[in-house]
Amino acid sequence: MNHIPVLLKESIDSLNIKDNGTYIDATYGCGGHTKLILSKLGINGRIYAIDCDITTILKHKILDKRIIYIHNNFSNLKFFLNNEIGKIDGILFDLGISSFQLDNPKRGFSYIFNGPLDMRINQNQNINAYKLLQDINEKKLSEILKIYGEERFHKRIAYNIKKYLLNNKLNNTKDLSYSICSAFNKKNKFKHPARRSFQAIRIFLNKEIEELKKVLNISLDLLKKNGIMSIISFHSLEDRIIKNFMKKNSSYNKNIIRKIPLTENEINNLYFKKKNLKLKIINRIFPNKNEILTNLRSRSAILRVAKKI
Ligand SMILES: C[S@@+](CC[C@H](N)C(=O)[O-])C[C@H]1O[C@@H](n2cnc3c(N)ncnc32)[C@H](O)[C@@H]1O
């Protein structure tokens, strides 16, 4: 299936593309967002297109002199864009994986198609899903399913997966899917029982939360004054991290302001905060009904936008 970019117009409009600006698409994927940036960019504009999945870049590469491709994890941005600190007009993140990756059985992300237990986004990474499931104990696995998949039946599922492994019955994504499904008594007509567990294993294996936490401060340093940070996320855990980061760098603690008179400590804190304000929160956007109907993947998306001040 072709990848349909999520919140495409909204995210690119939020970047307010300048004719000769310099932009980073930190999650290039199939190039959907980059293409729209390109269409608004003048001949001297530039886009750094980052993706840690080399097959994705090779397959979707657009030949345009304004694009500079970088095959690496976005958490390493500061190292390879050291010269661009304070010079970037906008940075975009569209987190997670694309339909191109999800629907390729060989990548092991899918609970529908059968394939190897891989799930690595960056194929240079040593550990794949099979090795991870072997290495961790049942308690840790249960914790991963609970935290990253918000899976209610995490204990039962972890027990089943480990049992399948012990009996040499966990050799591919179909086996994993079976082992998860067998933990459910009733089937949900609308959601596949293995969806949350596959997502949890993928997020943990690829250190997606750590990658995000690392890159937020780096992105802020790369932006110039009035530069824009636009981030699309699909998971409440990711969204909370982004929301808290933007809040921490942008606003006063309203509860303190409401409390009058302030203590000396609180006044000092406010002054410190004012001096350290780095962002202005611009917007929070959800996909509309039409987008959700035409692209189901967008249903859990949230776009958060902030401007460097
Ligand atoms: C949802 S897709 C982006 C789709 C893209 N915006 C489009 O419209 O075609 C996310 C992409 O980010 C890449 N990615 C995920 N985590 C990454 C990381 N830590 N560093 C670099 N790329 C990453 C994935 O390989 C994937 O291609």
Side-chain angles (χ1 to χ4, degrees), residues 128-189:
N128 61 19
Y130 183 67
K131 176 99 177 62
L132 173 80
L133 293 172
Q134 271 188 326
D135 287 355
I136 53 176
N137 61 27
E138 189 183 318
K139 188 161 175 275
K140 178 73 186 169
L141 178 55
S142 164
E143 201 180 292
I144 291 170
L145 301 174
K146 184 178 171 194
I147 298 174
Y148 301 104
E150 293 164 333
E151 174 55 72
R152 269 172 65 206
F153 303 113
H154 54 100
K155 283 190 184 154
R156 261 193 266 163
I157 297 174
Y159 172 80
N160 276 7
I161 294 177
K162 280 300 201 184
K163 195 172 78 183
Y164 270 60
L165 262 175
L166 208 67
N167 295 330
N168 276 333
K169 279 185 174 167
L170 199 84
N171 298 311
N172 48 47
T173 51
K174 199 170 89 194
D175 296 342
L176 180 61
S177 192
Y178 277 147
S179 69
I180 297 166
C181 292
S182 59
F184 288 78
N185 300 330
K186 274 195 213 153
K187 297 266 178 292
N188 181 328
K189 265 194 280 181

Side-chain angles (χ1 to χ4, degrees), residues 209-225:
I209 300 299
E210 285 92 327
E211 278 286 306
L212 176 64
K213 281 184 182 164
K214 278 191 209 161
V215 82
L216 291 172
N217 275 315
I218 300 171
S219 307
L220 194 55
D221 290 345
L222 282 162
L223 289 176
K224 61 162 69 155
K225 191 169 182 262

